[in-house]
Amino acid sequence: MKYVSTRGGMAPQSFSDILLEGLAPDGGLAVPEVLPRLSAETLAGWRGLPYADLAFEVLSLFADDIPADDLRRLTRAAYTEQIFGSEDIVPLRPLGGGLSLLGLSEGPTLAFKDMAMQFLGQVFEYVLTKRGTTLNILGATSGDTGSAAEYALRGKKGVAVFMLSPHGRMSAFQRAQMYSLQDPNIHNIAVHGVFDDCQDIVKALAGDLKFKAECRIGAVNSINWARIAAQVVYYIHGWLKATTRADQQVSFAVPSGNFGNILAGHIARRMGLPVRHLVLATNENNVLEEFFRTGVYRPRPAVQTYATSSPSMDISRASNFERFVYDLVGGDAARVAALWKELAGTGQFDLSSLRPAFASQYGFVAGASSHADRLATIRSTYDESGVLIDPHTADGVKVAQAYVEPGVPMLVLETALPAKFSDTIEEALGRRVPPPAALADLESLPQRVQILDCDAEAVKAYVRTHAAL
């Protein structure tokens, strides 16, 4: 399989090449030239597979330049009972009312990002060792990507991580998870600004081809296709656990900020997974919900991006959205490039003429949730099912309820464990949620973080000084 850019300016490359590349040289994102297809027979043959072996089967469709024995070893190293706490890896728990919870937060940082990052940690080290080179990962996080990447890559050979986060905009637990790491290859940078500012700096430096080559810059955000491919696995896993028939449809509700998680569901559906709806749930930062309601994409500036009680979704410019638009316009890379040029000039673009395809062709529906909604949803879900959910997952549950259909299981993708957001849980239930015993003292550990102004040149200078070369 070969990969091209959504903007048409990249020669076809292999999986291992785009793994190390991150953003395409033309500023676009890597996508497969042709998606693999899943037949009913293929899906039937995957029933009962352990998660690590299902991951091998799915990822072998995308990473065919890695020998099968090596790839199987990497997936079995990434998805173990020791890392995820049980042999299920991703459990499915009923919530009532036709909803079930796809448990994606059993990994070391208690968030769904571990599902892809554990594989990325293995495959980065493997490819870099094979090529005898090094890589400096530059990323941005609104709360969970950073810790998942750092825990997966800490101590890995040939890799240094530079993770930008918005200063003061994450929960205390999220900050402690990242900033308490003392590994010499991990560098936390807190930027005065919001997540979108951090993401803009990452994109600016990734687009500086001279700097990118000089410092061997790679990406671990969901602009890296390997993350999307690894996330496709748990959509297929969820479908296999929720169904008994080859033609049975399932809907997925996905709390959405940067569009990477739900994009993986879109890819799985395009590959042939029987998915009825992809329910996109936003918080008060509802740029994506507005697009699917109106067809107009209108990102907001940083000063209009709200700080909410589901902070990992406090995003107004979703970097993965470009991959969906590429599909929406029929793979017309020139049109994608023109749309993003229009976006840079006017702050928006209008695809309302294509609105009928959002649901009919691609299965997308959307809704938004507020602070009051998520508090009420946390309370009602706990009262009715005994399952405690975090604020982001509550956004997903709230929006999903409007799209439950008889005979169609509705799987809500868990974002994180509630202990990461104890203040909001206390507001909802009147009591705090203790973290897992192994992390009880996390917030009291010494923290190491560099605070910088929102300035790409300042970040560039810091990376140059500390890069693994």
Side-chain angles (χ1 to χ4, degrees):
M1 172 173 288
K2 295 293 184 182
Y3 295 83
V4 294
S5 170
T6 51
R7 301 188 193 179
M10 181 179 80
Q13 295 189 21
S14 71
F15 176 86
S16 295
D17 289 332
I18 62 158
L19 172 73
L20 302 182
E21 186 74 16
L23 203 64
D26 62 356
L29 302 176
V31 290
E33 280 189 306
V34 180
L35 277 177
R37 296 289 300 172
L38 301 175
S39 66
E41 292 75 20
T42 297
L43 290 170
W46 289 349
R47 288 193 183 275
L49 285 180
Y51 191 91
D53 290 346
L54 176 64
F56 162 75
E57 296 291 347
V58 176
L59 290 167
S60 66
L61 302 175
F62 295 105
D64 57 2
D65 60 325
I66 298 178
D69 288 347
D70 291 347
L71 184 60
R72 192 186 302 275
R73 177 173 53 79
L74 296 176
T75 60
R76 288 180 174 175
Y79 302 111
T80 69
E81 182 176 350
Q82 290 70 32
I83 293 172
F84 287 91
S86 77
E87 63 180 16
D88 281 346
I89 310 298
V90 178
L92 187 64
R93 296 188 287 271
L95 295 178
L99 278 66
S100 295
L101 185 68
L102 194 61
L104 300 174
S105 302
E106 308 297 315
T109 71
L110 319 182
F112 83 96
K113 303 292 178 73
D114 289 322
M115 297 306 305
M117 290 300 183
Q118 286 298 312
F119 172 68
L120 258 66
Q122 297 293 332
V123 74
F124 268 128
E125 187 175 51
Y126 169 83
V127 172
L128 291 172
T129 299
K130 285 281 188 182
R131 297 188 174 192
T133 189
T134 58
L135 191 68
N136 292 288
I137 298 295
L138 182 61
T141 185
S142 57
D144 293 323
T145 292
S147 56
E150 291 177 357
Y151 276 69
L153 293 168
R154 60 188 303 193
K156 293 292 185 186
K157 297 175 184 176
V159 185
V161 179
F162 297 85
M163 190 59 61
L164 279 61
S165 58
H167 184 50
R169 303 273 295 208
M170 302 186 298
S171 74
F173 191 95
Q174 287 175 311
R175 291 195 299 270
Q177 274 194 311
M178 292 174 57
Y179 302 165
S180 64
L181 292 181
Q182 303 296 324
D183 304 76
N185 72 322
I186 301 298
H187 304 275
N188 282 298
I189 302 171
V191 172
H192 288 295
V194 299
F195 169 77
D196 289 326
D197 295 319
C198 299
Q199 185 165 258
D200 286 346
I201 291 173
V202 169
K203 288 184 175 180
L205 298 192
D208 182 338
L209 300 186
K210 182 176 181 294
F211 171 75
K212 185 177 180 181
E214 172 194 341
C215 289
R216 298 185 187 133
I217 298 296
V220 76
N221 280 51
S222 51
I223 61 173
N224 191 314
W225 175 262
R227 260 202 44 198
I228 304 301
Q231 290 175 294
V232 169
V233 178
Y234 55 69
Y235 281 91
I236 297 172
H237 170 83
W239 181 86
L240 290 168
K241 292 195 73 123
T243 65
T244 56
R245 304 191 322 268
D247 61 346
Q248 187 172 358
Q249 290 189 317
V250 168
S251 290
F252 293 94
V254 190
S256 300
N258 217 16
F259 205 78
N261 199 6
I262 201 165
L263 178 78
H266 165 70
I267 296 301
R269 189 178 188 274
R270 285 193 63 219
M271 290 169 67
L273 193 71
V275 175
R276 167 69 172 159
H277 280 135
L278 292 165
V279 183
L280 181 142
T282 71
N283 61 15
E284 294 88 338
N285 296 296
N286 66 326
V287 170
L288 292 171
E289 181 272 335
E290 181 184 58
F291 172 79
F292 283 101
R293 176 167 39 87
T294 68
V296 178
Y297 183 55
R298 191 177 7 240
R300 297 170 187 152
V303 294
Q304 294 177 18
T305 301
Y306 304 111
T308 76
S309 53
S310 49
S312 297
M313 293 155 57
D314 292 348
I315 298 169
S316 289
R317 293 191 293 277
S319 63
N320 262 286
F321 184 60
E322 183 170 334
R323 285 182 168 122
F324 173 67
V325 171
Y326 177 80
D327 285 344
L328 192 60
V329 299
D332 185 342
R335 188 172 182 194
V336 172
L339 286 169
W340 256 258
K341 185 175 181 181
E342 179 182 349
L343 182 65
T346 68
Q348 66 179 62
F349 58 71
D350 187 342
L351 292 177
S352 56
S353 63
L354 301 178
R355 271 187 64 211
F358 296 173
S360 63
Q361 185 174 347
Y362 296 108
F364 275 93
V365 292
S369 173
S370 68
H371 178 68
D373 290 330
R374 65 186 66 98
L375 294 181
T377 302
I378 290 168
R379 281 194 294 269
S380 63
T381 301
Y382 184 71
D383 289 345
E384 294 167 14
S385 69
V387 177
L388 190 57
I389 56 175
D390 85 288
H392 309 77
T393 306
D395 290 335
V397 170
K398 189 269 179 185
V399 175
Q401 290 166 343
Y403 295 101
V404 174
E405 299 172 286
V408 182
M410 174 69 75
L411 275 54
V412 180
L413 271 59
E414 185 180 52
T415 300
L417 293 193
K420 299 188 79 167
F421 307 94
S422 57
D423 289 347
T424 303
I425 301 301
E426 183 174 17
E427 187 178 354
L429 301 181
R431 60 181 176 82
R432 292 183 74 81
V433 181
L439 299 175
D441 298 325
L442 184 67
E443 292 182 36
S444 65
L445 295 176
Q447 297 187 9
R448 181 168 63 92
V449 59
Q450 178 70 43
I451 300 173
L452 295 178
D453 289 334
C454 184
D455 178 67
E457 291 302 317
V459 174
K460 185 186 293 187
Y462 185 87
V463 172
R464 274 203 177 102
T465 303
H466 298 86
L469 298 174

